Amino acid sequence: MQPFSGQAQVPVLALGDILLVSLQGELHDGMAEQLQHDISSRIATSRVTGVVIDISGVDIVDSFLGRVLAEIASTARLLAARTVLAGMRPAVAITLVELGLTLPGLTTALDVDRAMELLSPEQK
């Protein structure tokens, strides 16, 4: 049994061949790195074709989290899965622009429903 590290994990839910990740509140650096590893492992070991990352519960995205989101999308793309970032608040979008983060490889959607539509087989 591993000792408790004091950091909770972000749940990664499988909905058919799509992974759904819902970020809530502040995501500490260690949790963001663990999430990146978890998503990559799930894509590599299953038939995942898409990843939806819901950030509607996130108030602030710093440069580290922005980089981690871009790396998740890049890794997913290399593993033949697409990534959609859903629920970005206007303040978060403004902050990303101010930081100069373009998040290459990430498609955005206003909400999770629209993100799921973008990843549906009819949209590929």
Side-chain angles (χ1 to χ4, degrees), residues 5-124:
S5 66
Q7 290 186 346
Q9 286 187 311
V10 176
V12 179
L13 306 174
L15 300 173
D17 59 355
I18 296 173
L19 296 179
L20 174 61
V21 180
S22 184
L23 303 182
Q24 300 295 317
E26 188 177 346
L27 191 66
H28 301 286
D29 292 357
M31 288 175 65
E33 289 174 340
Q34 183 62 49
L35 176 63
Q36 183 177 3
H37 174 75
D38 292 348
I39 291 173
S40 300
S41 295
R42 293 280 294 273
I43 293 170
T45 59
S46 62
R47 294 180 172 205
V48 172
T49 60
V51 178
V52 174
I53 302 174
D54 177 16
I55 63 167
S56 61
V58 175
D59 293 323
I60 298 171
V61 173
D62 61 11
S63 60
F64 180 78
L65 181 56
R67 183 176 58 82
V68 168
L69 292 172
E71 287 175 1
I72 288 170
S74 180
T75 302
R77 190 171 50 255
L78 289 172
L79 296 170
R82 298 184 324 154
T83 304
V84 179
L85 194 62
M88 185 180 303
R89 295 175 184 211
V92 171
I94 291 167
T95 301
L96 290 173
V97 170
E98 288 174 348
L99 291 172
L101 297 174
T102 58
L103 304 178
L106 275 170
T107 302
T108 58
L110 291 177
D111 56 37
V112 172
D113 289 337
R114 291 182 185 173
M116 297 295 282
E117 288 174 13
L118 286 172
L119 293 174
S120 70
E122 298 84 37
Q123 296 294 321
K124 291 182 181 177

